[in-house]
Amino acid sequence: MFSGSIVALITPFNLDGEVDYVSLKKLVDYHVEAGTDGIVAVGTTGESATLTVEEHVKVVVKTVEFADGRIPVIAGTGANATHESVTFSRLLNNSGIAGCLSVTPYYNKPTQEGLFQHYKAIAEESDVPQILYNVPGRTAVDLFPETVARLSEIESIVALKDATGDLSRIAKHRELCGEDFILLSGDDSTGLDFVKAGGQGVISVTNNIAAKDMADMMKLALEGNFDEAAVINERLMTLHKNLFVESSPIPVKWAAHKMGLIAHGGLRLPLTELSDSARPVVAKSMTEACIY
């Protein structure tokens, strides 16, 4: 159901800080033309933490509208309050989304039982497949494989986005969750190795500005052509890393603006634009990756 190269889409803003829907449509068309396999709208890379509930829902709905059936859209529905994630799920029922992606609750550091109950509550309020998202480096909580296994028994929970960078977890997840459970990387630097070890794809930040390369690489990898895929990955590796030279999505929004994919590279506080010292680092990575 979910596989290949899926973009963790940025949310473009106008100079006044409002969502730029003209640029959003341009981004959707860019990914359709590049062969991207899916779009995550208003995930964490889409600055979900700083959008209002109304904006969050509207961006998802407009992304579905712009996609017009050409590419599946997954809605980011994560929050650190279960009731907020449940609200997103309810509001997006019957919206045309292909699924929901929910990050583990950040800051409040729930127990494993709390994580289980959190995701169970979300799944009970949604009419679409659910993707778990584990990124302990940003949330300060780790979703253990044993908890993923418990959650995988809930019919609508079908996948995990694993951004730990720990490739040893793939075999553990596969053993505990079975062959049908979908495993997606959330770490571009190890994404190809993740698929080589048995994953089905990557939800990618790099994809925002190197969409065709990421789509080609994942297609080759899923066909078993890992040597050819590795050639592309090696060219992108510095970019994978330097898009995190400052907190994401700061670097990737600057890069997308530089490429003309969005009209402005602005973010919402507390995030600020890419520093002068980091700009040459990202620009050099873009040149080395042959995308600019």
Side-chain angles (χ1 to χ4, degrees):
M1 183 180 300
F2 305 116
S3 65
S5 179
I6 301 169
V7 62
L9 194 70
I10 55 177
T11 300
F13 297 126
N14 291 315
L15 287 175
D16 60 5
E18 297 301 310
V19 177
D20 177 3
Y21 290 102
V22 173
S23 290
L24 181 62
K25 184 179 187 305
K26 186 175 183 178
L27 287 173
V28 173
D29 290 340
Y30 165 70
H31 285 288
V32 170
E33 292 165 8
T36 299
D37 294 297
I39 291 173
V40 172
V42 202
T44 50
T45 302
E47 296 176 77
S48 56
T50 58
L51 269 65
T52 67
V53 171
E54 293 75 17
E55 288 174 323
H56 190 128
V57 172
K58 183 176 179 180
V59 172
V60 172
V61 170
K62 293 297 285 186
T63 303
V64 171
E65 176 188 322
F66 296 150
D68 194 25
R70 297 174 297 166
I71 185 172
V73 176
I74 300 161
T77 55
N80 66 339
T82 304
H83 69 81
E84 188 173 343
S85 288
V86 167
T87 296
F88 287 134
S89 296
R90 288 173 176 167
L91 291 173
L92 290 167
N93 279 339
N94 304 310
S95 65
I97 57 173
C100 291
L101 173 70
S102 295
V103 69
T104 51
Y106 40 88
Y107 182 78
N108 40 17
K109 298 176 73 172
T111 64
Q112 295 302 301
E113 181 61 25
L115 290 169
F116 175 81
Q117 295 297 338
H118 172 78
Y119 283 115
K120 179 174 179 288
I122 296 169
E124 289 173 347
E125 294 294 337
S126 180
D127 59 3
V128 298
Q130 302 292 308
I131 305 172
L132 313 172
Y133 178 17
N134 189 28
V135 55
R138 293 291 288 256
T139 64
V141 64
D142 191 359
L143 183 64
F144 294 167
E146 293 78 10
T147 306
V148 175
R150 288 181 66 197
L151 288 164
S152 72
E153 296 175 1
I154 298 173
E155 185 177 2
S156 62
I157 296 178
V158 302
L160 168 70
K161 176 185 176 182
D162 183 345
T164 64
D166 181 359
L167 298 174
S168 70
R169 289 198 176 195
I170 301 169
K172 186 70 171 177
H173 284 130
R174 186 62 66 214
E175 174 192 350
L176 293 175
C177 302
E179 293 297 320
D180 293 333
F181 194 72
I182 299 166
L183 299 175
L184 301 167
S185 172
D187 179 57
D188 278 311
S189 293
T190 58
L192 179 58
D193 289 333
F194 189 98
V195 172
K196 193 172 182 178
Q200 284 104 321
V202 60
I203 298 179
S204 166
V205 172
T206 302
N207 194 337
N208 277 284
I209 57 172
K212 187 176 187 307
D213 283 329
M214 289 297 296
D216 289 347
M217 182 178 75
M218 282 294 112
K219 184 174 186 294
L220 288 166
L222 290 171
E223 291 173 347
N225 296 322
F226 294 110
D227 289 344
E228 293 179 62
V231 173
I232 300 173
N233 195 49
E234 184 176 352
R235 175 163 50 82
L236 297 178
M237 185 56 71
T238 303
L239 187 65
H240 291 331
K241 295 178 179 178
N242 285 340
L243 287 180
F244 293 87
V245 68
E246 291 181 0
S247 296
S248 183
I250 293 172
V252 73
K253 289 192 87 171
W254 181 85
H257 173 52
K258 189 174 180 67
M259 292 176 66
L261 293 172
I262 56 177
H264 308 284
L267 304 102
R268 285 187 176 174
L269 290 172
L271 297 183
T272 54
E273 291 190 22
L274 190 66
S275 65
D276 289 343
S277 61
R279 292 181 183 190
V281 175
V282 179
K284 185 172 185 290
S285 301
M286 294 165 68
T287 300
E288 290 177 356
C290 302
I291 63 167
Y292 185 77

